[in-house]
Amino acid sequence: MAIEKMEMGEVGTSLMPLETKPPPARPPNKFERLFQPCLAELVGTTFFVFIGCVSVIENVESAGRLQPALVHGLAVAVMVACMAEISGSHFNPPFTLAIYLCGGMELNMVAPYLVSQLVGGVLGAAMAKVMTSRENFSKASGAAFALLQTDSDIGAAVFGEVAMTCLVTMVVLLGAVNTTTRSPMVPFMVGCTVIINILAGGDVSGTCLNPARAFGPAIVHNYWVYHWVYWVGPITGGLIAAVLVRLLLGDRKIRLILK
């Protein structure tokens, strides 16, 4: 009898449902590791530039600084929140360079990201041209970049692009890459930084802060006056931010000195 009970117990035990364990996470495939992030950078940059350009072109006489500030800031916040888990939501060459220098991405993805961002800038500007009237598009020739008309304006414009890009890049690095300061609020933080930068310096340099944002409209409208300012300024500002985080502000994993 005892043997029968034991056998029944064994059978009963074997029929009990086992606790199900979640399947192990599948490692990302080649598409998810290489192609999808580049597509996200292209799409995100395209719509960021598109929305930014349209906001100025269709309101070129009354845009002021508040409208482009809000449009660019809100657009970048939304796109960062949507694409963060796919590509990291750079949409800006200085961000990509700074993130790589601070150990946030692999070297083999830097060039594909940069190409995707520049192509996205051209596509976004082309979409803006298709959507807007020919008259309004012609009035917006150069848009905010038309602020630079003489050599005497260059110094202030370059300094503004360097300082303001340094600020927004530090927000990206400290909010998304640095472990001790990483925050889920980084889309909001970056968007707000873009807004305050445009409000503060929009009448000095146009507050581009992004070579892809300058390159797209320059290609589509063939407007190259002082175009180099919007490469030298933002890239320099991004590199300064990377140096500050790498040497002084980063955590022990990122910081190269004073560990």
Side-chain angles (χ1 to χ4, degrees), residues 215-229:
F215 182 70
I219 286 283
V220 172
H221 205 288
N222 194 29
Y223 188 90
W224 300 97
V225 178
Y226 296 116
H227 180 73
W228 63 268
V229 169

Side-chain angles (χ1 to χ4, degrees), residues 36-122:
Q36 194 178 52
C38 293
L39 287 172
E41 287 297 303
L42 188 148
V43 171
T45 308
T46 295
F47 280 99
F48 169 66
V49 174
F50 166 66
I51 294 298
C53 288
V54 169
S55 71
V56 176
I57 293 171
E58 284 301 309
N59 303 276
V60 66
E61 295 179 352
S62 59
R65 277 186 291 177
L66 181 60
Q67 178 171 305
L70 291 175
V71 169
H72 284 84
L74 293 174
V76 76
V78 169
M79 297 311 300
V80 167
C82 289
M83 303 287 191
E85 297 303 319
I86 302 176
S87 69
S89 301
H90 300 187
F91 313 141
N92 189 340
F95 290 178
T96 297
L97 295 175
I99 289 170
Y100 164 69
L101 291 174
C102 290
M105 67 182 300
E106 299 294 329
L107 176 61
N108 68 317
M109 294 302 293
V110 173
Y113 267 43
L114 297 180
V115 172
S116 299
Q117 291 157 5
L118 294 177
V119 173
V122 175

Side-chain angles (χ1 to χ4, degrees), residues 25-225:
R26 181 175 64 88
N29 57 31
K30 186 175 181 180
F31 173 75
E32 294 167 339
R33 286 185 291 106
L34 300 178
F35 298 104
Q36 194 178 52
C38 293
L39 287 172
E41 287 297 303
L42 188 148
V43 171
T45 308
T46 295
F47 280 99
F48 169 66
V49 174
F50 166 66
I51 294 298
C53 288
V54 169
S55 71
V56 176
I57 293 171
E58 284 301 309
N59 303 276
V60 66
E61 295 179 352
S62 59
R65 277 186 291 177
L66 181 60
Q67 178 171 305
L70 291 175
V71 169
H72 284 84
L74 293 174
V76 76
V78 169
M79 297 311 300
V80 167
C82 289
M83 303 287 191
E85 297 303 319
I86 302 176
S87 69
S89 301
H90 300 187
F91 313 141
N92 189 340
F95 290 178
T96 297
L97 295 175
I99 289 170
Y100 164 69
L101 291 174
C102 290
M105 67 182 300
E106 299 294 329
L107 176 61
N108 68 317
M109 294 302 293
V110 173
Y113 267 43
L114 297 180
V115 172
S116 299
Q117 291 157 5
L118 294 177
V119 173
V122 175
L123 292 177
M127 289 169 60
K129 183 176 182 179
V130 170
M131 179 176 170
T132 56
S133 67
R134 181 177 299 181
E135 180 183 2
N136 286 343
F137 189 82
S138 63
K139 287 181 181 178
S141 173
F145 311 132
L147 287 168
L148 295 183
Q149 294 295 329
T150 64
D151 291 346
S152 62
D153 300 327
I154 292 178
V158 171
F159 180 80
E161 291 291 312
V162 170
M164 291 184 290
T165 308
C166 180
L167 172 60
V168 71
T169 307
M170 278 198 300
V171 171
V172 170
L173 294 175
L174 295 176
V177 179
N178 192 57
T179 304
T180 57
T181 56
R182 192 176 295 163
S183 171
M185 295 291 290
V186 70
F188 172 78
M189 293 157 56
V190 174
C192 285
T193 308
V194 170
I195 291 173
I196 62 177
N197 275 340
I198 295 176
L199 290 176
D203 288 346
V204 177
S205 68
T207 317
C208 178
L209 318 180
N210 186 338
R213 172 67 179 84
F215 182 70
I219 286 283
V220 172
H221 205 288
N222 194 29
Y223 188 90
W224 300 97
V225 178

